[in-house]
């Protein structure tokens, strides 16, 4: 792609996701039912439980915790810049 002044460069969804892969992650509050779909290896979650997921720029699941602080601490330890998604 070439840049033309005054025009926005267009990215595919995959290209956009790969821009931050390994450097950016996002924190997303989720309910246990959705967590089970993202993290199928997890067992024993109570229905309706509020959890927090750390997801890579591409949406790949990284971590699931019961507190936002735990997710942020893990991201910080792994040198990931975080953004929140509501």
């Amino acid at each position: 792609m070439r840049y033309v002044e005054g025009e926005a460069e267009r990215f595919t969804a995959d290209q956009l996701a790969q821009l931050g892969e390994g450097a950016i992650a996002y924190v997303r509050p989720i309910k246990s039912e959705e967590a089970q779909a993202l993290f199928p290896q997890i067992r024993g979650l109570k229905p309706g439980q509020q959890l927090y997921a750390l997801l890579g720029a591409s949406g790949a699941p990284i971590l699931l915790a019961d507190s936002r602080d735990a997710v942020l601490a893990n991201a910080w330890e792994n040198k990931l810049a975080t953004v929140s998604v509501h």
Side-chain angles (χ1 to χ4, degrees), residues 21-22 30 32 36 42 50 54 56 61 65 73 78-79:
E21 200 62 43
I30 60 175
S32 52
Q36 192 68 58
I42 304 251
Q50 179 65 59
L54 182 65
N78 289 288
K79 297 181 173 97

Side-chain angles (χ1 to χ4, degrees), residues 31-73:
K31 294 291 185 183
S32 52
E33 294 82 0
E34 186 179 1
Q36 192 68 58
L38 283 172
F39 300 87
Q41 68 277 18
I42 304 251
R43 300 283 181 250
L45 295 177
K46 297 175 188 166
Q49 187 177 357
Q50 179 65 59
L51 300 166
Y52 296 86
L54 182 65
L55 305 165
S58 66
I62 298 172
L63 177 81
L64 182 67
D66 60 358
S67 79
R68 187 173 186 276
D69 289 342
V71 168
L72 291 173

